[in-house]
Short mmCIF file of all heavy atoms in Angstrom, two decimals:
data_model
loop_
_atom_site.label_atom_id
_atom_site.label_comp_id
_atom_site.label_asym_id
_atom_site.label_seq_id
_atom_site.Cartn_x
_atom_site.Cartn_y
_atom_site.Cartn_z
N LEU A 181 1.06 -6.71 -0.14
CA LEU A 181 0.89 -5.34 -0.64
C LEU A 181 1.24 -5.26 -2.11
O LEU A 181 0.49 -4.70 -2.91
CB LEU A 181 1.76 -4.36 0.15
CG LEU A 181 1.84 -2.94 -0.41
CD1 LEU A 181 0.47 -2.27 -0.45
CD2 LEU A 181 2.84 -2.10 0.39
N LEU A 182 2.37 -5.82 -2.50
CA LEU A 182 2.78 -5.78 -3.91
C LEU A 182 1.78 -6.50 -4.80
O LEU A 182 1.47 -6.04 -5.90
CB LEU A 182 4.19 -6.35 -4.06
CG LEU A 182 5.30 -5.56 -3.37
CD1 LEU A 182 6.61 -6.30 -3.45
CD2 LEU A 182 5.41 -4.16 -3.94
N GLU A 183 1.25 -7.62 -4.32
CA GLU A 183 0.24 -8.34 -5.08
C GLU A 183 -1.04 -7.51 -5.21
O GLU A 183 -1.63 -7.45 -6.29
CB GLU A 183 -0.07 -9.67 -4.39
CG GLU A 183 -1.09 -10.52 -5.10
CD GLU A 183 -1.33 -11.84 -4.40
OE1 GLU A 183 -1.51 -11.85 -3.16
OE2 GLU A 183 -1.35 -12.86 -5.10
N TRP A 184 -1.45 -6.87 -4.13
CA TRP A 184 -2.65 -6.03 -4.14
C TRP A 184 -2.48 -4.88 -5.13
O TRP A 184 -3.40 -4.57 -5.90
CB TRP A 184 -2.91 -5.51 -2.72
CG TRP A 184 -4.12 -4.67 -2.57
CD1 TRP A 184 -5.41 -5.09 -2.40
CD2 TRP A 184 -4.16 -3.23 -2.53
NE1 TRP A 184 -6.25 -4.01 -2.26
CE2 TRP A 184 -5.51 -2.85 -2.34
CE3 TRP A 184 -3.20 -2.24 -2.63
CZ2 TRP A 184 -5.90 -1.52 -2.25
CZ3 TRP A 184 -3.60 -0.91 -2.54
CH2 TRP A 184 -4.93 -0.56 -2.36
N LEU A 185 -1.31 -4.26 -5.12
CA LEU A 185 -1.04 -3.17 -6.08
C LEU A 185 -1.11 -3.70 -7.51
O LEU A 185 -1.73 -3.09 -8.38
CB LEU A 185 0.32 -2.53 -5.81
CG LEU A 185 0.42 -1.69 -4.54
CD1 LEU A 185 1.88 -1.31 -4.28
CD2 LEU A 185 -0.46 -0.45 -4.63
N HIS A 186 -0.48 -4.83 -7.75
CA HIS A 186 -0.47 -5.43 -9.09
C HIS A 186 -1.89 -5.75 -9.55
O HIS A 186 -2.27 -5.45 -10.69
CB HIS A 186 0.38 -6.70 -9.08
CG HIS A 186 0.43 -7.39 -10.41
ND1 HIS A 186 -0.47 -8.38 -10.76
CD2 HIS A 186 1.25 -7.21 -11.46
CE1 HIS A 186 -0.19 -8.79 -11.98
NE2 HIS A 186 0.85 -8.10 -12.43
N ASP A 187 -2.67 -6.35 -8.65
CA ASP A 187 -4.06 -6.69 -8.99
C ASP A 187 -4.88 -5.44 -9.30
O ASP A 187 -5.85 -5.49 -10.06
CB ASP A 187 -4.72 -7.48 -7.87
CG ASP A 187 -4.16 -8.89 -7.73
OD1 ASP A 187 -3.42 -9.34 -8.62
OD2 ASP A 187 -4.46 -9.53 -6.70
N GLY A 188 -4.49 -4.31 -8.72
CA GLY A 188 -5.18 -3.05 -8.96
C GLY A 188 -4.62 -2.28 -10.15
O GLY A 188 -5.02 -1.15 -10.42
N GLY A 189 -3.66 -2.89 -10.84
CA GLY A 189 -3.11 -2.28 -12.04
C GLY A 189 -2.09 -1.19 -11.79
O GLY A 189 -1.90 -0.32 -12.64
N THR A 190 -1.43 -1.23 -10.65
CA THR A 190 -0.40 -0.21 -10.37
C THR A 190 0.88 -0.87 -9.87
O THR A 190 0.91 -2.07 -9.62
CB THR A 190 -0.92 0.85 -9.37
OG1 THR A 190 -0.03 1.96 -9.36
CG2 THR A 190 -1.05 0.29 -7.97
N THR A 191 1.90 -0.08 -9.76
CA THR A 191 3.19 -0.55 -9.28
C THR A 191 3.53 0.20 -8.00
O THR A 191 2.93 1.22 -7.67
CB THR A 191 4.29 -0.29 -10.30
OG1 THR A 191 4.42 1.13 -10.48
CG2 THR A 191 3.99 -0.96 -11.63
N LEU A 192 4.53 -0.28 -7.33
CA LEU A 192 5.01 0.41 -6.13
C LEU A 192 5.47 1.82 -6.48
O LEU A 192 5.19 2.78 -5.76
CB LEU A 192 6.14 -0.38 -5.48
CG LEU A 192 6.69 0.19 -4.18
CD1 LEU A 192 5.62 0.24 -3.11
CD2 LEU A 192 7.87 -0.65 -3.72
N ALA A 193 6.14 1.96 -7.60
CA ALA A 193 6.65 3.27 -8.02
C ALA A 193 5.53 4.27 -8.30
O ALA A 193 5.70 5.47 -8.12
CB ALA A 193 7.54 3.12 -9.25
N ALA A 194 4.37 3.77 -8.69
CA ALA A 194 3.26 4.66 -9.07
C ALA A 194 2.19 4.80 -7.99
O ALA A 194 1.32 5.65 -8.10
CB ALA A 194 2.62 4.15 -10.35
N CYS A 195 2.24 3.98 -6.96
CA CYS A 195 1.16 4.02 -5.97
C CYS A 195 1.20 5.30 -5.14
O CYS A 195 2.24 5.94 -5.00
CB CYS A 195 1.18 2.78 -5.08
SG CYS A 195 2.32 2.82 -3.71
N THR A 196 0.06 5.64 -4.62
CA THR A 196 -0.08 6.86 -3.83
C THR A 196 -0.21 6.53 -2.35
O THR A 196 -0.48 5.37 -1.97
CB THR A 196 -1.34 7.63 -4.26
OG1 THR A 196 -2.49 6.83 -3.95
CG2 THR A 196 -1.31 7.97 -5.74
N GLN A 197 -0.07 7.54 -1.53
CA GLN A 197 -0.26 7.36 -0.09
C GLN A 197 -1.69 6.90 0.19
O GLN A 197 -1.92 6.08 1.08
CB GLN A 197 0.04 8.66 0.66
CG GLN A 197 -0.09 8.52 2.17
CD GLN A 197 0.94 7.58 2.75
OE1 GLN A 197 2.12 7.71 2.48
NE2 GLN A 197 0.48 6.61 3.55
N GLU A 198 -2.63 7.41 -0.58
CA GLU A 198 -4.03 7.02 -0.40
C GLU A 198 -4.22 5.52 -0.65
O GLU A 198 -4.99 4.87 0.06
CB GLU A 198 -4.95 7.84 -1.32
CG GLU A 198 -5.06 9.30 -0.93
CD GLU A 198 -3.86 10.15 -1.39
OE1 GLU A 198 -3.11 9.72 -2.29
OE2 GLU A 198 -3.69 11.23 -0.83
N GLN A 199 -3.54 4.99 -1.64
CA GLN A 199 -3.63 3.55 -1.90
C GLN A 199 -3.04 2.75 -0.75
O GLN A 199 -3.62 1.75 -0.33
CB GLN A 199 -2.93 3.20 -3.21
CG GLN A 199 -3.68 3.67 -4.44
CD GLN A 199 -2.86 3.50 -5.69
OE1 GLN A 199 -1.76 4.04 -5.80
NE2 GLN A 199 -3.40 2.76 -6.65
N VAL A 200 -1.90 3.18 -0.26
CA VAL A 200 -1.27 2.48 0.87
C VAL A 200 -2.20 2.55 2.09
O VAL A 200 -2.42 1.55 2.76
CB VAL A 200 0.12 3.06 1.20
CG1 VAL A 200 0.68 2.46 2.49
CG2 VAL A 200 1.08 2.83 0.04
N ASP A 201 -2.75 3.73 2.35
CA ASP A 201 -3.68 3.88 3.47
C ASP A 201 -4.88 2.97 3.33
O ASP A 201 -5.33 2.35 4.31
CB ASP A 201 -4.13 5.34 3.61
CG ASP A 201 -3.03 6.26 4.08
OD1 ASP A 201 -2.00 5.78 4.60
OD2 ASP A 201 -3.19 7.49 3.92
N ALA A 202 -5.43 2.86 2.11
CA ALA A 202 -6.58 1.99 1.88
C ALA A 202 -6.21 0.54 2.17
O ALA A 202 -6.96 -0.19 2.83
CB ALA A 202 -7.08 2.13 0.44
N TRP A 203 -5.06 0.10 1.69
CA TRP A 203 -4.62 -1.28 1.92
C TRP A 203 -4.44 -1.54 3.42
O TRP A 203 -4.86 -2.58 3.93
CB TRP A 203 -3.33 -1.56 1.15
CG TRP A 203 -2.85 -2.97 1.32
CD1 TRP A 203 -3.34 -4.07 0.67
CD2 TRP A 203 -1.82 -3.43 2.19
NE1 TRP A 203 -2.66 -5.19 1.09
CE2 TRP A 203 -1.72 -4.82 2.01
CE3 TRP A 203 -0.97 -2.80 3.08
CZ2 TRP A 203 -0.80 -5.60 2.71
CZ3 TRP A 203 -0.04 -3.57 3.77
CH2 TRP A 203 0.03 -4.95 3.59
N LEU A 204 -3.86 -0.58 4.11
CA LEU A 204 -3.64 -0.75 5.55
C LEU A 204 -4.95 -0.86 6.31
O LEU A 204 -5.07 -1.68 7.23
CB LEU A 204 -2.82 0.42 6.10
CG LEU A 204 -1.34 0.44 5.71
CD1 LEU A 204 -0.71 1.77 6.12
CD2 LEU A 204 -0.58 -0.73 6.33
N THR A 205 -5.94 -0.07 5.94
CA THR A 205 -7.20 -0.07 6.69
C THR A 205 -8.12 -1.22 6.33
O THR A 205 -9.02 -1.53 7.09
CB THR A 205 -7.96 1.26 6.50
OG1 THR A 205 -8.25 1.46 5.12
CG2 THR A 205 -7.17 2.43 7.04
N GLU A 206 -7.88 -1.87 5.19
CA GLU A 206 -8.74 -2.97 4.75
C GLU A 206 -8.37 -4.32 5.36
O GLU A 206 -9.00 -5.32 5.06
CB GLU A 206 -8.70 -3.10 3.23
CG GLU A 206 -9.36 -1.96 2.50
CD GLU A 206 -9.16 -2.02 1.00
OE1 GLU A 206 -8.54 -3.00 0.49
OE2 GLU A 206 -9.61 -1.10 0.31
#
């Protein structure tokens, strides 16, 4: 998850619920 966020140009502190949901469903 942290790697996916990093690759998408965001951090854990800045990520949204929508991003987490997208990662979970993918």
Side-chain angles (χ1 to χ4, degrees):
L181 171 61
L182 295 174
E183 181 178 47
W184 182 83
L185 289 171
H186 179 268
D187 290 349
T190 193
T191 64
L192 183 62
C195 82
T196 65
Q197 182 65 51
E198 290 79 18
Q199 288 171 302
V200 173
D201 290 344
W203 182 79
L204 288 170
T205 59
E206 291 173 3

